[in-house]
Amino acid sequence: MQVSVENTSALERRMSITVPAERIETQVNKRLQQTAQKAKIAGFRPGKVPMSEIKRRFGADARQEAVGDVIQSSFYEAVVEQKLNPAGAPSIEPKSMEAGKDLEYVAIFEVFPEFTVAGFDGITVERLSADVADADLDKMLEVLRKQNTRFEVADRAAQNEDQLNIDFVGKVDGEVFAGGSAKGTQLVLGSGRMIPGFEDGLVGAKAGEERVLNLTFPEDYQNLDLAGKTAEFTVTVNTVSEPKLPELTEEFFAQFGIKETGLEGFRTEVRKNMERELRQAIKSKVKNQVMDGLLATNPIEVPKALLSNEVDRLRVQAVQQFGGNIKPDQLPAELFEEQAKRRVVLGLIVAEVVKQFDLKPDEARVREMIQEMASAYQEPEQVVSWYYKNEQQLNEVRSVVLEEQVVDTVLQKASVTDKSVSYEEAVKPVEAPQAD
């Protein structure tokens, strides 16, 4: 077999392969002999069909199958021989496939980029530290109470944070528009669910009252047919209900699976959850800074095949998340290219760090991570046992731990500053940079 390789770009390779005719003929004859043993042809006993008849009937199909298999196997042999690492399936261009002659074809494919990860000392990381103060815990208890707010009918005028049951009809230029009417809808004043002015216009209204609101749709309203237009809403208030926060009682604690430990037991459990969230938030922010630093100091070219595969994965995830009667390939690739490129580049860089530093998952950290996750459940021992009985799930945890070890490796050489902050600041999500 003859092989020659041409570098057509930084990552693309054009490999010309010539396979001796004898190899093809051997594969063709092997298939024909197998066919002859089981072929059922009128006038002949099984296994007694003349080879000339077998070739006449099945020769073309046998050759097509043989050529396909030989192309596949010879391509694999060639990339191993040439020490190439394809990043995707090749595009095959046949050159000569004539019977009795050498098979010639060209395989065009991309290879994984070869690089060494560097620049650790140029990465800067701000590592936060914080504690869960009693005031933070008190605030969280109030949040939990508000999340479980009940509404009771009140015989008074509506105020912000009240829940109104309303009927309304919206008109533009005197005509009712699609989606602008509803009956018996529940609306919490101040929630921002309706267009500007709608909820404010109902403050002070009482049950049974009708109000007419003249409002203007925002210029950036999602329905372009209504954006910027003036509308008239006729609103009937059916009921006004005021919010009632639940008391911190045994019944309230039981909703969270906490029984017979009273307020102190509930506070202890909530604090544990907050501390777990705090640790994860700090760890995540450090990791994001390290990954951003690795991207900035290690610019590499991305194989188109890997990028395309990642875009397809993100399309599928988007359809699964948002649903609807849409197929993944109907979503524009451009929507996912930036995120896909980041994922692919980071995947290549992280894999290279693992290789350069010969990192292996620390099994003690794997168990610690599983126990940390299990602690959020009522039967943590069962959760730990489940992970260790499911190899796929266990390997996913190992991958996360290995990524953490990559972060630790970078931090040993990066410029790290420690900063003490409040709990709220530590868990606050990092805001995405605003587009110009």
Side-chain angles (χ1 to χ4, degrees):
M1 186 172 74
Q2 297 177 353
V3 180
S4 64
V5 180
E6 177 187 355
N7 295 356
T8 50
S9 73
L11 297 180
E12 189 179 83
R13 300 293 180 266
R14 180 182 176 88
M15 186 162 66
S16 299
I17 301 174
T18 303
V19 182
E22 293 79 7
R23 180 169 172 178
I24 306 296
E25 296 309 317
T26 298
Q27 291 297 319
V28 172
N29 291 332
K30 181 180 177 182
R31 281 167 173 72
L32 290 175
Q33 287 168 3
Q34 291 172 344
T35 302
Q37 293 172 7
K38 57 185 179 182
K40 294 181 179 180
I41 299 177
F44 298 97
R45 286 181 297 161
K48 298 298 183 180
V49 183
M51 184 55 68
S52 59
E53 183 65 15
I54 294 293
K55 286 182 179 179
R56 186 182 71 80
R57 288 175 178 257
F58 305 106
D61 288 343
R63 180 168 297 280
Q64 186 175 357
E65 289 178 10
V67 167
D69 286 353
V70 169
I71 286 176
Q72 186 175 8
S73 59
S74 61
F75 172 76
Y76 175 75
E77 293 166 13
V79 296
V80 171
E81 174 192 308
Q82 298 294 319
K83 296 181 174 59
L84 297 172
N85 190 8
S91 170
I92 302 297
E93 295 181 0
K95 293 298 180 183
S96 173
M97 302 179 68
E98 191 175 338
K101 292 187 177 180
D102 293 346
L103 169 66
E104 297 178 20
Y105 68 92
V106 172
I108 300 172
F109 56 95
E110 290 178 299
V111 295
F112 283 92
E114 294 182 2
F115 63 99
T116 300
V117 183
F120 290 1
D121 54 356
I123 296 174
T124 59
V125 175
E126 183 179 71
R127 184 166 50 199
L128 305 181
S129 63
D131 295 310
V132 179
D134 288 343
D136 298 317
L137 179 56
D138 292 339
K139 190 176 291 187
M140 180 59 71
L141 295 183
E142 284 305 297
V143 169
L144 295 176
R145 292 178 70 201
K146 286 185 178 180
Q147 288 174 349
N148 289 271
T149 296
R150 293 178 295 103
F151 288 93
E152 295 180 358
V153 174
D155 184 20
R156 59 165 174 74
Q159 302 173 0
N160 264 329
E161 298 188 1
D162 283 349
Q163 183 183 76
L164 276 56
N165 183 287
I166 59 173
D167 304 333
F168 64 89
V169 177
K171 297 180 180 180
V172 171
D173 298 328
E175 298 291 331
V176 175
F177 59 90
S181 303
K183 281 188 174 294
T185 192
Q186 303 280 29
L187 175 65
V188 176
L189 299 187
S191 63
R193 198 180 114 200
M194 307 297 279
I195 66 171
F198 192 102
E199 293 166 30
D200 290 342
L202 296 178
V203 172
K206 293 185 176 182
E209 185 177 340
E210 180 180 281
R211 287 195 175 184
V212 177
L213 309 176
N214 291 296
L215 308 172
T216 301
F217 283 95
E219 294 290 344
D220 59 353
Y221 192 64
Q222 65 265 26
N223 185 338
L224 298 180
D225 292 334
L226 297 174
K229 291 188 176 179
T230 299
E232 179 186 271
F233 290 90
T234 302
V235 185
T236 301
V237 178
N238 300 319
T239 59
V240 174
S241 299
E242 61 184 354
K244 294 288 185 181
L245 295 183
E247 296 298 323
L248 294 174
T249 61
E250 297 290 343
E251 182 182 359
F252 179 75
F253 306 150
Q255 294 180 44
F256 298 88
I258 301 169
K259 302 175 181 177
E260 302 173 357
T261 55
L263 178 58
E264 283 310 307
F266 184 66
R267 288 176 66 90
T268 298
E269 196 62 32
V270 173
R271 185 186 290 275
K272 284 181 183 177
N273 290 333
M274 292 175 70
E275 288 171 344
R276 183 164 47 244
E277 179 187 14
L278 177 61
R279 287 192 297 272
Q280 289 301 320
I282 291 173
K283 189 185 296 184
S284 177
K285 287 180 179 179
V286 168
K287 174 189 167 184
N288 287 339
Q289 292 176 78
V290 167
M291 294 303 170
D292 287 344
L294 287 172
L295 282 172
T297 55
N298 294 275
I300 60 174
E301 191 168 342
V302 180
K304 296 184 183 67
L306 296 185
L307 182 59
S308 177
N309 290 341
E310 191 60 35
V311 166
D312 289 343
R313 268 193 289 270
L314 291 172
R315 281 168 157 167
V316 171
Q317 288 176 11
V319 170
Q320 290 173 342
Q321 182 177 355
F322 299 109
N325 298 320
I326 188 171
K327 296 179 180 178
D329 58 8
Q330 291 177 303
L331 296 173
E334 298 78 21
L335 290 176
F336 307 98
E337 282 180 352
E338 187 175 342
Q339 184 183 1
K341 183 175 181 180
R342 177 183 172 88
R343 282 192 179 190
V344 170
V345 173
L346 280 176
L348 294 172
I349 292 174
V350 167
E352 188 59 30
V353 173
V354 169
K355 178 182 174 183
Q356 281 180 217
F357 292 87
D358 193 26
L359 300 178
K360 301 286 190 300
D362 182 333
E363 292 301 328
R365 288 179 66 166
V366 170
R367 176 167 285 277
E368 184 182 332
M369 179 173 287
I370 291 173
Q371 289 172 337
E372 171 90 351
M373 293 186 292
S375 66
Y377 295 85
Q378 291 186 0
E379 302 289 343
E381 300 85 4
Q382 292 183 13
V383 177
V384 172
S385 175
W386 180 84
Y387 268 98
Y388 278 96
K389 289 178 181 176
N390 290 270
E391 194 67 23
Q392 182 178 349
Q393 299 296 327
L394 185 58
N395 285 334
E396 286 182 9
V397 178
R398 287 187 176 122
S399 294
V400 174
V401 168
L402 191 58
E403 199 169 76
E404 287 188 356
Q405 291 174 235
V406 168
V407 171
D408 292 344
T409 301
V410 176
L411 290 176
Q412 289 174 11
K413 298 185 179 181
S415 175
V416 182
T417 56
D418 291 297
K419 181 182 178 182
S420 295
V421 297
S422 66
Y423 168 82
E424 279 194 357
E425 185 175 346
V427 300
K428 182 181 178 183
V430 177
E431 293 183 6
Q434 295 294 318
D436 294 334

